[in-house]
Amino acid sequence: IILGIIVLVCCAIERYPQSLFVSTKKDRKKEIKRNDQKLIVKSFSFKEAFLALWTKVRGKIKKKSKKAFKSARIFTDFENIYNLGIVFISLFCLFVSRYFYPVLLLDVIKRSEDLQNVIRAITMNLQQLFKTLILALIIMFIYAVIGINFYSTYYTADGDSKMYCEDLLMCWTSTINGGLRSGGGIGEATQGATHEESTYWGKYIFDISFFILVNIIILNIVFGVIIDTFDELRDQRKTLIENVETICFICGIGKERHEKEGNGWYEHIYNEHNIYDYLLFLIYADMKKTEDCNQIEKFVKKNLDASKTDFFPIQKSLSLVDTPQTLN
């Protein structure tokens, strides 16, 4: 509890500036939906990426800084709400029930980007998965109707799968429970018909068709959607990490070029083209009055007002004698 409170306070202090200017979830959804087509990047461009980022940051700073009760936004920040929830769960476990302590172990999801991608692989396709689930329930309802009218005697409670078919609701729920949990589908959950019975071939088609439609097709569609989305998210993160680690965000020149002909990659990104130095300078120049700016600051300020990035050393670096016009 003490550790959770310390984390909550420290995180709130650290994220205070960001909390002031962050939009609410509802505003973010509207903005994303309204500008969905504008966010599609057709070709990779450091100039376009920075310009879009700076326009958003600058607009939010000017817009949010004018609102009253700015400090109240700290309570809408997700990180602060999350840490506050951890504290409440700890207090609940201490004073009410200790059986909720294992819930705190789910914090590992928050600490792992890979586990977050697993969750996103499901949440990003909720609508598609929900529709697939509805389709599966409809199909199993059709099989339940067929089962209660023709094969209700094969629904027994003798085996491991307790199958009941006294009415349509029990038959439907039994079909869902036994059909999905059994590896062989409804045929494994219910009793099989012998070849002497007149219903043998009908029950055979009933069992095999359920297995193909539900256990093979629908379940694999669900698993395929989740796995494909996870692979896509993993590839996106891998590409992002590669770009961050091998391409300078300021000039767009690759790591290999700096290592061979410059002063070294880390010397370049930490001293020559330090992204935080650029960001602080841009904020400083943007907030400074025009009459108080020198020529360089006026030039930068003029470009920012015109939504231009001509002041950026795109494909240029002082440590390189002859800068190539390629990323590498």
Side-chain angles (χ1 to χ4, degrees), residues 182-293:
S182 301
I186 195 68
E188 183 178 335
T190 58
Q191 286 186 346
T194 60
H195 67 279
E196 291 86 1
E197 298 179 85
S198 59
T199 58
Y200 174 77
W201 288 110
K203 184 66 166 54
Y204 176 85
I205 297 175
F206 179 80
D207 295 342
I208 196 69
S209 61
F210 183 95
F211 177 75
I212 294 174
L213 289 176
V214 178
N215 295 82
I216 293 181
I217 297 179
I218 293 182
L219 290 183
N220 280 284
I221 288 176
V222 173
F223 297 148
V225 169
I226 296 175
I227 293 174
D228 289 344
T229 305
F230 176 76
D231 289 339
E232 181 181 353
L233 292 172
R234 184 179 57 187
D235 292 340
Q236 290 177 359
R237 176 167 174 78
K238 182 180 179 181
T239 303
L240 175 62
I241 293 176
E242 288 179 354
N243 288 336
V244 171
E245 294 179 347
T246 60
I247 300 177
C248 175
F249 181 79
I250 302 300
C251 66
I253 301 177
K255 176 180 179 180
E256 184 178 356
R257 177 72 176 181
H258 288 290
E259 291 288 354
K260 289 182 178 180
E261 303 180 16
N263 297 326
W265 172 249
Y266 294 104
E267 173 68 19
H268 176 76
I269 62 174
Y270 288 129
N271 292 326
E272 296 175 1
H273 285 170
N274 189 304
I275 186 173
Y276 297 105
D277 291 342
Y278 273 80
L279 179 60
L280 292 175
F281 176 75
L282 293 178
I283 295 175
Y284 168 78
D286 185 62
M287 298 181 67
K288 193 174 182 179
K289 295 182 179 179
T290 306
E291 54 270 19
D292 297 333
C293 296

Side-chain angles (χ1 to χ4, degrees), residues 81-197:
I81 295 176
Y82 176 82
N83 292 325
L84 185 62
I86 293 294
V87 173
F88 282 151
I89 293 176
S90 300
L91 292 173
F92 183 84
C93 295
L94 181 63
F95 297 106
V96 180
S97 175
R98 61 183 181 180
Y99 298 109
F100 284 88
Y101 272 121
V103 177
L104 297 175
L105 296 176
L106 293 176
D107 182 63
V108 68
I109 299 176
K110 183 69 169 56
R111 310 300 172 186
S112 173
E113 185 70 24
D114 292 330
L115 293 180
Q116 291 180 29
N117 284 337
V118 174
I119 303 300
R120 293 192 192 101
I122 300 175
T123 57
M124 287 178 60
N125 299 281
L126 278 180
Q127 184 177 4
Q128 185 176 0
L129 294 176
F130 179 75
K131 291 179 180 180
T132 306
L133 174 63
I134 295 299
L135 175 62
L137 292 176
I138 292 175
I139 292 176
M140 287 185 284
F141 180 77
I142 295 174
Y143 275 89
V145 172
I146 298 175
I148 196 173
N149 284 283
F150 300 100
Y151 310 113
S152 59
T153 55
Y154 299 100
Y155 284 71
T156 63
D158 298 334
D160 295 334
S161 300
K162 306 299 181 183
M163 305 293 287
Y164 304 97
C165 203
E166 290 82 6
D167 52 61
L168 183 58
L169 179 61
M170 291 300 299
C171 193
W172 186 31
T173 55
S174 296
T175 301
I176 296 173
N177 181 41
L180 293 179
R181 291 176 56 214
S182 301
I186 195 68
E188 183 178 335
T190 58
Q191 286 186 346
T194 60
H195 67 279
E196 291 86 1
E197 298 179 85

Side-chain angles (χ1 to χ4, degrees), residues 313-328:
I314 305 298
Q315 294 297 313
K316 298 177 182 179
S317 177
L318 292 176
S319 61
L320 300 178
V321 179
D322 184 17
T323 305
Q325 296 301 317
T326 61
L327 290 180
N328 292 322

